[in-house]
Structure formats: C-alpha cells, structure tokens
Amino acid sequence: MEIMNKIKYDIGLIYEHPNWHQPLFDELARSEVSFEKIDLKQGSFSFNDKPASRLYYNLVSPSAYNRGNQRAIPFAYSLCVYLESKNSLVLNGSKSMKLELSKSSQMNLLQTIGIDFPKSYVFNSVEALKKYINEIKFPQILKPEQGGSGSRMYKVNSMDEIEEIFNANPDLWFPDNLFLLQELIDYDNAFGIVRVEFIGDELLYAMRVVTNGTFNLCPSVLCNPENDEAGICEILLTRPPEFFSYKEIPKEAINEAKVIAKASGHHIVSVEYAESLDGRRIFYDINSNSNLRESISLDYSGVNPFSKVVDYLKMQLVKSYGKD
C-alpha cells in the first residue's frame, strides 16, 4: 500500500478480508465517489507520506489471525493513528480498534454506562484465576480477549477442564495472551440471540440469530449462506446458525443498544444481547463494522444495507469537506 503525496480519492477503504467487502466495493463503484482499496495483508507507509484520500473507513476484523493475517491488525492500528495525526477523518479508527480488539474493555464500557453484561473474570494464568474458584458457578463460557468469528471459545464445566484445554493447546493464548471467563447466559435457544445494527445514529435493522450450538455467528453470506449451501469460513461449523429479521424488537432494547453504540466510538456498529430466562437483557458483544445481510435489511426496512453505508460515507464527506 502506498499513501500518495496528494489527495487522489474521496474514500480509502482499509481492509483485510478479500471477499467480505465486495458488496460494498460494488456499491461504491456504482456511486459517484472515487475510492482506493488498501489491503492490509502487505502494507507499508512512510512518515513523509500524505493521505491520498479525503476520508478513510477502517474495516479490519479481529478474526484476521484465523486467516494467517494477524500482522494486518497492528498495521491497521498504526495506519489509523498516522492518518488521524494528519487530520484525516478515519471512520472506526484507532479508538474504535482498541475497543473492538478487547472484550474486557467492552465489558468495562457496559459496566460504566450501566448496561447489564455477563459477570466476567479476566486472566492471563489459570493458576491466578483459581482465587475465584469458590465464587465461580459453572458452566461458564471461556473466550479470548481478541475475539473473531467465535474462535477459541468453549463452554467449560470446571476449573480442571480449563486447565486441560490450555495444557492440551498452549497456542490458544495467542495472539493476545488474555482470556475471559463469563457467566453462561441461559436463554431460549429456539429464539436465539439478538444483533442490532447501526449506521451512525440510525438503526439499520435488528435480527435474531439461532445459534444451533455454534459460537461462530458471522453474518457474512460467505461464511453462512442464505440457503443450505456450504459456507467458506476458517472456523468449521457442524451446523450453521440461522438468521431472521426481528421487527418485534422491544423499543427499550433498541434504546439500550443505541446508548452502547454511541458510547463505543464506532461509526458503524452492531451490538449483541440475549434475553435470559430469568428476565435479564444481557449485552455481551460490541462490533465495529458488520458483515451486513442484505436479505435481513430488505425484509426489515426495504433498504439495501450497502447503499446505506455508501450514503453514510458520502454524508461524512459532505460534513467534513463540503463535497456533494
């Protein structure tokens, strides 16, 4: 990647996955804005370079390490910091990345703004975690600090089982060397969990996700196709999740999700929650960006989600640079 010495493009798209964002690329190609694609898998910049685009949209995913692309993540962060220092507008930039890559920071944010979240323990050593053994109520969910498509997640039933998992595969600690142990949310499996998508301050759609026992709930149609076709994903599934438009989402849930979205610092964001059987609405994940599902958006509001993203990017250009 090169950052040219003068503005050549309206938008720079910072990305790593080769296929996830093709619908957005296609929609931008149909629009009147010019754009460059900045592939993070092999990147470099000089501190003498100047931004080539007026606005940047960072699409890097914490799951990059599952594709052998972990190096894309620190490069994306460094690039965002640099572009921001040059007064470029970077959507889902460095502040956003810090939250996206840290489940513990997400839980801390939820606690700070008074939103219910799973009781959680953060640890870098199973031995250190044992000091809470008398208060931890199993089963629990073991998940990594840097998430991504449900990888490195386990349902665990004892401290001994946690030890066995790490002893059998010490590489589970990488790349972040930090894990969370969270309370298992008991919810209606037939109903599923809820994912709420926002573009800026505007609700795009809400959808139910019936997990079918998997942690990989990636909404990309590449990973989890619309029909019974096999998906293309680095995280193998025994039975894929199912996605449904959720027009009946309670207004209170939308309001809480909107508070989280605003507090997160993400420009384009999704939040996930589960309704526990004992009546709690528990938020447990905050995602910058999303692999949007066109069929869900069309059913929910009749809107093409990628067209909405392009409209939002164009609006940000107008607000920042007066370009229409």
Side-chain angles (χ1 to χ4, degrees), residues 239-269:
R239 187 181 174 195
E242 301 169 74
F243 303 89
F244 303 94
S245 174
Y246 185 33
K247 299 177 184 178
E248 303 81 13
I249 183 172
K251 185 175 181 179
E252 296 80 5
I254 294 176
N255 290 340
E256 284 186 294
K258 188 171 289 189
V259 168
I260 297 168
K262 184 175 182 179
S264 72
H266 303 324
H267 294 83
I268 298 176
V269 53

Side-chain angles (χ1 to χ4, degrees), residues 23-39:
L24 177 59
F25 299 157
D26 292 342
E27 194 66 34
L28 276 167
R30 288 189 285 268
S31 73
E32 297 178 356
V33 296
S34 59
F35 66 99
E36 61 170 332
K37 297 192 293 184
I38 303 170
D39 191 335

Side-chain angles (χ1 to χ4, degrees), residues 11 30 42 44 52 73 82 104 112 114 128 137 147 164 184 188 197 200 217 224 315:
I11 298 170
R30 288 189 285 268
Q42 296 187 43
S44 65
I73 291 176
Y82 181 68
S104 61
T112 300
K137 297 179 180 179
E164 291 170 3
L184 177 67
D188 181 355
E197 304 277 359
L217 306 182
N224 292 302
M315 181 183 70

Side-chain angles (χ1 to χ4, degrees), residues 27 199 304 306-316:
E27 194 66 34
I199 298 178
N304 180 305
F306 305 103
S307 176
K308 288 293 289 186
V309 172
V310 170
D311 287 345
Y312 179 75
L313 296 177
K314 291 168 69 174
M315 181 183 70
Q316 294 301 311

Side-chain angles (χ1 to χ4, degrees), residues 210-222:
V210 178
T211 68
N212 291 325
T214 183
F215 293 119
N216 180 5
L217 306 182
C218 176
S220 166
V221 292
L222 288 172

Side-chain angles (χ1 to χ4, degrees), residues 221-238:
V221 292
L222 288 172
C223 295
N224 292 302
E226 297 285 356
N227 303 313
D228 294 329
E229 302 170 4
I232 303 172
C233 188
E234 294 77 14
I235 309 300
L236 297 178
L237 300 174
T238 55

Side-chain angles (χ1 to χ4, degrees), residues 254-316:
I254 294 176
N255 290 340
E256 284 186 294
K258 188 171 289 189
V259 168
I260 297 168
K262 184 175 182 179
S264 72
H266 303 324
H267 294 83
I268 298 176
V269 53
S270 70
V271 296
E272 295 179 15
Y273 73 84
E275 297 277 3
S276 69
L277 295 181
D278 61 2
R280 294 166 60 198
R281 181 181 298 120
I282 305 173
F283 287 85
Y284 62 86
D285 200 11
I286 309 170
N287 303 287
S288 68
N289 311 306
S290 268
N291 288 309
L292 301 170
R293 289 185 81 87
E294 184 173 347
S295 62
I296 297 293
S297 186
L298 289 173
D299 181 74
Y300 190 90
S301 61
V303 170
N304 180 305
F306 305 103
S307 176
K308 288 293 289 186
V309 172
V310 170
D311 287 345
Y312 179 75
L313 296 177
K314 291 168 69 174
M315 181 183 70
Q316 294 301 311

